[in-house]
Amino acid sequence: QQAKLKHTTHSFSIVIMGNPLTSLGDSPSSSTKKGASSFVPGRAADGAAINNSQRPATVDIITDQANEKKQPLLLGVRGNWYDITNFLPYHPGGDVILEFVGRDATAQFMAYHSPHVLAKRKPVGTYDFDKAKPGGEVMQEDWMRLSDKYEQLGYYDTPLWFVWSRVAIIAAFLSATLACVYVYTHGMLGEWMSRMVFAVGAISLAGFWQQSGFLMHDTMHNLCFHNRHYDQMLGWFCGNVVLGLSSKWWRDEHNEHHLFTNTAVDGVGASDPQMIEDAWIQDVMLDQFYHPLNQLPLPHVKDFLIKYQHVLFVPLCLIVGPYHIKIVSLVNTGPRPMEYFGIALHITFVYSLLSCFDTWSERFAFYGIAMFFIGVLSIQLLVSHYGKPWVEKETVKVSGSWAKRQVESIVDIDCPLWLDWFHGGLHLHSPHHLFPRLPRCYYRQVHKDVLAMCKNNGVELSIMPWLDAVAAALRHLKHVGEKLAAKKDREKDMRMSLAKPKGC
């Protein structure tokens, strides 16, 4: 039996029994010929748009034609085809599943789903799948073996003690904040000690936000209760109410980030929403796309900002970043009333807290110090990827590429065990990206297996102390700025040579 869907520039062909699959979309080499009209924003499960996701417009055509002709949309997992046609409207991850229609999606499925998800679904066919060397990569088999091992060991089940320990840390920071505010506003100490208490209270507020952000991260991965409803509600509270940004907006972009880390569609745009920023260009290939820096009325201003982006990176993360992400999340949340309600509760809490102070200068200082230190979170998250190169989106959808690509796009941070809380466990970023269903309490055990896997397959995993990782990211930004400056000089020289009259 064979299902075929065709239109002017794309083809979708699945051979149900026996033969290898032909995938949806373009090959990496041909994608450069497509314009931006061939791509649309992805959609979350509730229909909200996901900016900078670069979903092939083909998926809508494929879906419509499949519905008209009553032909199945198939997804490959471990050599079996599964019909996902009727499941599409209910997929919690939205339409990203269509990126893998007609493909072997074993790695993507295993990374995000428990095996019991397919327990009640019968395969509708098979395809060639080399379990010993998926997609021709031995490392992929090693990764699958480790994933199965963790499933058997119960590592994908989060112990409740870990969840409550995170809640206790958050409660401790909130208690410290409230205590410091009370002591300061009631004049219980001398002037010098009062200033110290004031600063400690503001920094504790930043810690309250930071640790709540880490717990939001866990819940949006459904890692606390493994119940989507309860996890998402706790994530809403930690993200919207405590942190003041849309948790659903963040979740939708984070899903794309995990699947397509540091990727772009040549000639169209970046396809990793969480690694593209308005203030700098961290890879040469990103310069070609629409970017706020390219829209500056004075070109030399852009040249200056790019030339010194390595100098501006840390100050912008600390001073501008915390405000920027709140504004961006508010603008891009979409028609989600509960998200706005949660943010309104956040504003109410912050207003009530700051109202305890007598003067506006104290209020601005307290909030400003807290926002400055929460900016550290931006640096923590960005340096895990900023020193790594970007690649074409299509290349990461190829069967067998998952494990190797995840390792190549990551920097792990080396720090003592007692500092794990400060980094939220995410300093060991390779276990998180390779096994996103894994709770943070197992990262150190799993990291040893990841190191062994990389060594056995000759793949380098970058590991360095946090300050070294920040320095590496800055060197990378400087290198990119220099390459873009050199590129512009060459283009300028070429224009001048072409403008010269003949014979001169």
mmCIF file with all atom_site columns, all heavy atoms in Angstrom, residues 65 89 111 117-118 126 130 134 140 194 256 268 295 353 412 457 481:
data_model
loop_
_atom_site.group_PDB
_atom_site.id
_atom_site.type_symbol
_atom_site.label_atom_id
_atom_site.label_alt_id
_atom_site.label_comp_id
_atom_site.label_asym_id
_atom_site.label_entity_id
_atom_site.label_seq_id
_atom_site.pdbx_PDB_ins_code
_atom_site.Cartn_x
_atom_site.Cartn_y
_atom_site.Cartn_z
_atom_site.occupancy
_atom_site.B_iso_or_equiv
_atom_site.pdbx_formal_charge
_atom_site.auth_seq_id
_atom_site.auth_comp_id
_atom_site.auth_asym_id
_atom_site.auth_atom_id
_atom_site.pdbx_PDB_model_num
ATOM 1   N N   . GLN A 1 65  ? -4.705 18.078 2.067  1.00 0.00 ? 65  GLN A N   1
ATOM 2   C CA  . GLN A 1 65  ? -4.828 17.068 1.026  1.00 0.00 ? 65  GLN A CA  1
ATOM 3   C C   . GLN A 1 65  ? -5.077 15.692 1.628  1.00 0.00 ? 65  GLN A C   1
ATOM 4   O O   . GLN A 1 65  ? -5.822 14.889 1.085  1.00 0.00 ? 65  GLN A O   1
ATOM 5   C CB  . GLN A 1 65  ? -3.570 17.056 0.155  1.00 0.00 ? 65  GLN A CB  1
ATOM 6   C CG  . GLN A 1 65  ? -3.428 18.302 -0.709 1.00 0.00 ? 65  GLN A CG  1
ATOM 7   C CD  . GLN A 1 65  ? -2.235 18.228 -1.642 1.00 0.00 ? 65  GLN A CD  1
ATOM 8   O OE1 . GLN A 1 65  ? -1.422 17.320 -1.536 1.00 0.00 ? 65  GLN A OE1 1
ATOM 9   N NE2 . GLN A 1 65  ? -2.125 19.178 -2.546 1.00 0.00 ? 65  GLN A NE2 1
ATOM 10  N N   . PRO A 1 89  ? -5.086 17.173 16.282 1.00 0.00 ? 89  PRO A N   1
ATOM 11  C CA  . PRO A 1 89  ? -5.701 18.259 17.066 1.00 0.00 ? 89  PRO A CA  1
ATOM 12  C C   . PRO A 1 89  ? -5.455 18.141 18.569 1.00 0.00 ? 89  PRO A C   1
ATOM 13  O O   . PRO A 1 89  ? -5.661 19.112 19.298 1.00 0.00 ? 89  PRO A O   1
ATOM 14  C CB  . PRO A 1 89  ? -7.198 18.108 16.753 1.00 0.00 ? 89  PRO A CB  1
ATOM 15  C CG  . PRO A 1 89  ? -7.270 17.289 15.509 1.00 0.00 ? 89  PRO A CG  1
ATOM 16  C CD  . PRO A 1 89  ? -6.099 16.376 15.567 1.00 0.00 ? 89  PRO A CD  1
ATOM 17  N N   . ALA A 1 111 ? 12.748 11.013 23.281 1.00 0.00 ? 111 ALA A N   1
ATOM 18  C CA  . ALA A 1 111 ? 13.214 12.100 24.138 1.00 0.00 ? 111 ALA A CA  1
ATOM 19  C C   . ALA A 1 111 ? 12.069 12.731 24.918 1.00 0.00 ? 111 ALA A C   1
ATOM 20  O O   . ALA A 1 111 ? 12.262 13.167 26.055 1.00 0.00 ? 111 ALA A O   1
ATOM 21  C CB  . ALA A 1 111 ? 13.923 13.157 23.298 1.00 0.00 ? 111 ALA A CB  1
ATOM 22  N N   . VAL A 1 117 ? 2.937  5.650  25.730 1.00 0.00 ? 117 VAL A N   1
ATOM 23  C CA  . VAL A 1 117 ? 2.126  6.486  24.839 1.00 0.00 ? 117 VAL A CA  1
ATOM 24  C C   . VAL A 1 117 ? 1.689  5.695  23.610 1.00 0.00 ? 117 VAL A C   1
ATOM 25  O O   . VAL A 1 117 ? 0.577  5.881  23.091 1.00 0.00 ? 117 VAL A O   1
ATOM 26  C CB  . VAL A 1 117 ? 2.916  7.749  24.419 1.00 0.00 ? 117 VAL A CB  1
ATOM 27  C CG1 . VAL A 1 117 ? 2.176  8.523  23.334 1.00 0.00 ? 117 VAL A CG1 1
ATOM 28  C CG2 . VAL A 1 117 ? 3.161  8.639  25.627 1.00 0.00 ? 117 VAL A CG2 1
ATOM 29  N N   . LEU A 1 118 ? 2.539  4.776  23.149 1.00 0.00 ? 118 LEU A N   1
ATOM 30  C CA  . LEU A 1 118 ? 2.220  3.983  21.961 1.00 0.00 ? 118 LEU A CA  1
ATOM 31  C C   . LEU A 1 118 ? 1.617  2.624  22.309 1.00 0.00 ? 118 LEU A C   1
ATOM 32  O O   . LEU A 1 118 ? 1.337  1.830  21.413 1.00 0.00 ? 118 LEU A O   1
ATOM 33  C CB  . LEU A 1 118 ? 3.486  3.764  21.123 1.00 0.00 ? 118 LEU A CB  1
ATOM 34  C CG  . LEU A 1 118 ? 4.082  5.004  20.463 1.00 0.00 ? 118 LEU A CG  1
ATOM 35  C CD1 . LEU A 1 118 ? 5.353  4.635  19.712 1.00 0.00 ? 118 LEU A CD1 1
ATOM 36  C CD2 . LEU A 1 118 ? 3.085  5.653  19.516 1.00 0.00 ? 118 LEU A CD2 1
ATOM 37  N N   . THR A 1 126 ? 5.613  -0.925 8.457  1.00 0.00 ? 126 THR A N   1
ATOM 38  C CA  . THR A 1 126 ? 6.992  -0.912 8.913  1.00 0.00 ? 126 THR A CA  1
ATOM 39  C C   . THR A 1 126 ? 7.895  -0.239 7.889  1.00 0.00 ? 126 THR A C   1
ATOM 40  O O   . THR A 1 126 ? 7.507  -0.027 6.736  1.00 0.00 ? 126 THR A O   1
ATOM 41  C CB  . THR A 1 126 ? 7.508  -2.346 9.149  1.00 0.00 ? 126 THR A CB  1
ATOM 42  O OG1 . THR A 1 126 ? 7.453  -3.072 7.915  1.00 0.00 ? 126 THR A OG1 1
ATOM 43  C CG2 . THR A 1 126 ? 6.676  -3.065 10.203 1.00 0.00 ? 126 THR A CG2 1
ATOM 44  N N   . ASP A 1 130 ? 17.643 0.353  11.308 1.00 0.00 ? 130 ASP A N   1
ATOM 45  C CA  . ASP A 1 130 ? 18.799 -0.375 11.835 1.00 0.00 ? 130 ASP A CA  1
ATOM 46  C C   . ASP A 1 130 ? 18.950 -0.049 13.320 1.00 0.00 ? 130 ASP A C   1
ATOM 47  O O   . ASP A 1 130 ? 19.450 1.015  13.684 1.00 0.00 ? 130 ASP A O   1
ATOM 48  C CB  . ASP A 1 130 ? 20.061 0.036  11.066 1.00 0.00 ? 130 ASP A CB  1
ATOM 49  C CG  . ASP A 1 130 ? 21.275 -0.786 11.480 1.00 0.00 ? 130 ASP A CG  1
ATOM 50  O OD1 . ASP A 1 130 ? 21.153 -1.595 12.427 1.00 0.00 ? 130 ASP A OD1 1
ATOM 51  O OD2 . ASP A 1 130 ? 22.345 -0.618 10.869 1.00 0.00 ? 130 ASP A OD2 1
ATOM 52  N N   . PRO A 1 134 ? 21.158 3.385  14.130 1.00 0.00 ? 134 PRO A N   1
ATOM 53  C CA  . PRO A 1 134 ? 20.072 4.207  13.577 1.00 0.00 ? 134 PRO A CA  1
ATOM 54  C C   . PRO A 1 134 ? 20.595 5.385  12.774 1.00 0.00 ? 134 PRO A C   1
ATOM 55  O O   . PRO A 1 134 ? 21.404 6.171  13.247 1.00 0.00 ? 134 PRO A O   1
ATOM 56  C CB  . PRO A 1 134 ? 19.346 4.702  14.835 1.00 0.00 ? 134 PRO A CB  1
ATOM 57  C CG  . PRO A 1 134 ? 19.728 3.731  15.908 1.00 0.00 ? 134 PRO A CG  1
ATOM 58  C CD  . PRO A 1 134 ? 21.123 3.304  15.584 1.00 0.00 ? 134 PRO A CD  1
ATOM 59  N N   . GLN A 1 140 ? 23.904 7.115  18.148 1.00 0.00 ? 140 GLN A N   1
ATOM 60  C CA  . GLN A 1 140 ? 22.460 7.153  18.344 1.00 0.00 ? 140 GLN A CA  1
ATOM 61  C C   . GLN A 1 140 ? 21.973 5.893  19.060 1.00 0.00 ? 140 GLN A C   1
ATOM 62  O O   . GLN A 1 140 ? 21.090 5.957  19.916 1.00 0.00 ? 140 GLN A O   1
ATOM 63  C CB  . GLN A 1 140 ? 21.757 7.292  16.988 1.00 0.00 ? 140 GLN A CB  1
ATOM 64  C CG  . GLN A 1 140 ? 20.291 7.630  17.075 1.00 0.00 ? 140 GLN A CG  1
ATOM 65  C CD  . GLN A 1 140 ? 20.039 9.086  17.426 1.00 0.00 ? 140 GLN A CD  1
ATOM 66  O OE1 . GLN A 1 140 ? 20.966 9.848  17.663 1.00 0.00 ? 140 GLN A OE1 1
ATOM 67  N NE2 . GLN A 1 140 ? 18.782 9.471  17.485 1.00 0.00 ? 140 GLN A NE2 1
ATOM 68  N N   . SER A 1 194 ? 21.013 48.674 58.189 1.00 0.00 ? 194 SER A N   1
ATOM 69  C CA  . SER A 1 194 ? 19.755 48.771 57.434 1.00 0.00 ? 194 SER A CA  1
ATOM 70  C C   . SER A 1 194 ? 20.017 48.718 55.929 1.00 0.00 ? 194 SER A C   1
ATOM 71  O O   . SER A 1 194 ? 19.264 48.078 55.177 1.00 0.00 ? 194 SER A O   1
ATOM 72  C CB  . SER A 1 194 ? 19.020 50.064 57.788 1.00 0.00 ? 194 SER A CB  1
ATOM 73  O OG  . SER A 1 194 ? 18.545 50.024 59.104 1.00 0.00 ? 194 SER A OG  1
ATOM 74  N N   . GLU A 1 256 ? 10.459 24.292 20.838 1.00 0.00 ? 256 GLU A N   1
ATOM 75  C CA  . GLU A 1 256 ? 11.160 24.480 19.564 1.00 0.00 ? 256 GLU A CA  1
ATOM 76  C C   . GLU A 1 256 ? 12.673 24.511 19.793 1.00 0.00 ? 256 GLU A C   1
ATOM 77  O O   . GLU A 1 256 ? 13.447 23.959 18.998 1.00 0.00 ? 256 GLU A O   1
ATOM 78  C CB  . GLU A 1 256 ? 10.711 25.788 18.907 1.00 0.00 ? 256 GLU A CB  1
ATOM 79  C CG  . GLU A 1 256 ? 9.232  25.875 18.583 1.00 0.00 ? 256 GLU A CG  1
ATOM 80  C CD  . GLU A 1 256 ? 8.826  25.023 17.393 1.00 0.00 ? 256 GLU A CD  1
ATOM 81  O OE1 . GLU A 1 256 ? 9.669  24.822 16.492 1.00 0.00 ? 256 GLU A OE1 1
ATOM 82  O OE2 . GLU A 1 256 ? 7.665  24.557 17.374 1.00 0.00 ? 256 GLU A OE2 1
ATOM 83  N N   . VAL A 1 268 ? 15.639 32.392 5.112  1.00 0.00 ? 268 VAL A N   1
ATOM 84  C CA  . VAL A 1 268 ? 14.320 32.616 5.713  1.00 0.00 ? 268 VAL A CA  1
ATOM 85  C C   . VAL A 1 268 ? 14.433 33.221 7.104  1.00 0.00 ? 268 VAL A C   1
ATOM 86  O O   . VAL A 1 268 ? 13.952 34.314 7.364  1.00 0.00 ? 268 VAL A O   1
ATOM 87  C CB  . VAL A 1 268 ? 13.510 31.298 5.778  1.00 0.00 ? 268 VAL A CB  1
ATOM 88  C CG1 . VAL A 1 268 ? 12.153 31.540 6.451  1.00 0.00 ? 268 VAL A CG1 1
ATOM 89  C CG2 . VAL A 1 268 ? 13.328 30.744 4.383  1.00 0.00 ? 268 VAL A CG2 1
ATOM 90  N N   . GLN A 1 295 ? 17.564 47.095 10.790 1.00 0.00 ? 295 GLN A N   1
ATOM 91  C CA  . GLN A 1 295 ? 16.572 48.127 10.497 1.00 0.00 ? 295 GLN A CA  1
ATOM 92  C C   . GLN A 1 295 ? 16.954 49.495 11.054 1.00 0.00 ? 295 GLN A C   1
ATOM 93  O O   . GLN A 1 295 ? 16.194 50.448 10.944 1.00 0.00 ? 295 GLN A O   1
ATOM 94  C CB  . GLN A 1 295 ? 15.216 47.707 11.079 1.00 0.00 ? 295 GLN A CB  1
ATOM 95  C CG  . GLN A 1 295 ? 14.780 46.304 10.690 1.00 0.00 ? 295 GLN A CG  1
ATOM 96  C CD  . GLN A 1 295 ? 14.809 46.083 9.193  1.00 0.00 ? 295 GLN A CD  1
ATOM 97  O OE1 . GLN A 1 295 ? 14.241 46.877 8.446  1.00 0.00 ? 295 GLN A OE1 1
ATOM 98  N NE2 . GLN A 1 295 ? 15.450 45.018 8.740  1.00 0.00 ? 295 GLN A NE2 1
ATOM 99  N N   . LEU A 1 353 ? 4.553  44.800 47.647 1.00 0.00 ? 353 LEU A N   1
ATOM 100 C CA  . LEU A 1 353 ? 5.845  44.698 48.338 1.00 0.00 ? 353 LEU A CA  1
ATOM 101 C C   . LEU A 1 353 ? 6.558  46.044 48.356 1.00 0.00 ? 353 LEU A C   1
ATOM 102 O O   . LEU A 1 353 ? 7.065  46.485 49.396 1.00 0.00 ? 353 LEU A O   1
ATOM 103 C CB  . LEU A 1 353 ? 6.712  43.641 47.644 1.00 0.00 ? 353 LEU A CB  1
ATOM 104 C CG  . LEU A 1 353 ? 8.082  43.369 48.277 1.00 0.00 ? 353 LEU A CG  1
ATOM 105 C CD1 . LEU A 1 353 ? 7.924  42.755 49.667 1.00 0.00 ? 353 LEU A CD1 1
ATOM 106 C CD2 . LEU A 1 353 ? 8.923  42.458 47.378 1.00 0.00 ? 353 LEU A CD2 1
ATOM 107 N N   . ASP A 1 412 ? 28.662 22.455 28.850 1.00 0.00 ? 412 ASP A N   1
ATOM 108 C CA  . ASP A 1 412 ? 28.366 22.079 30.227 1.00 0.00 ? 412 ASP A CA  1
ATOM 109 C C   . ASP A 1 412 ? 29.219 22.909 31.181 1.00 0.00 ? 412 ASP A C   1
ATOM 110 O O   . ASP A 1 412 ? 30.382 23.202 30.886 1.00 0.00 ? 412 ASP A O   1
ATOM 111 C CB  . ASP A 1 412 ? 28.637 20.592 30.463 1.00 0.00 ? 412 ASP A CB  1
ATOM 112 C CG  . ASP A 1 412 ? 27.505 19.705 29.970 1.00 0.00 ? 412 ASP A CG  1
ATOM 113 O OD1 . ASP A 1 412 ? 26.408 20.233 29.743 1.00 0.00 ? 412 ASP A OD1 1
ATOM 114 O OD2 . ASP A 1 412 ? 27.727 18.488 29.804 1.00 0.00 ? 412 ASP A OD2 1
ATOM 115 N N   . ASN A 1 457 ? 32.524 7.494  21.187 1.00 0.00 ? 457 ASN A N   1
ATOM 116 C CA  . ASN A 1 457 ? 32.169 7.833  19.801 1.00 0.00 ? 457 ASN A CA  1
ATOM 117 C C   . ASN A 1 457 ? 33.009 8.970  19.240 1.00 0.00 ? 457 ASN A C   1
ATOM 118 O O   . ASN A 1 457 ? 32.730 9.467  18.140 1.00 0.00 ? 457 ASN A O   1
ATOM 119 C CB  . ASN A 1 457 ? 30.686 8.202  19.734 1.00 0.00 ? 457 ASN A CB  1
ATOM 120 C CG  . ASN A 1 457 ? 29.770 7.006  19.937 1.00 0.00 ? 457 ASN A CG  1
ATOM 121 O OD1 . ASN A 1 457 ? 29.495 6.266  19.000 1.00 0.00 ? 457 ASN A OD1 1
ATOM 122 N ND2 . ASN A 1 457 ? 29.306 6.816  21.165 1.00 0.00 ? 457 ASN A ND2 1
ATOM 123 N N   . GLY A 1 481 ? 31.600 39.228 15.383 1.00 0.00 ? 481 GLY A N   1
ATOM 124 C CA  . GLY A 1 481 ? 31.612 40.647 15.037 1.00 0.00 ? 481 GLY A CA  1
ATOM 125 C C   . GLY A 1 481 ? 32.727 40.989 14.083 1.00 0.00 ? 481 GLY A C   1
ATOM 126 O O   . GLY A 1 481 ? 32.542 41.762 13.128 1.00 0.00 ? 481 GLY A O   1
#
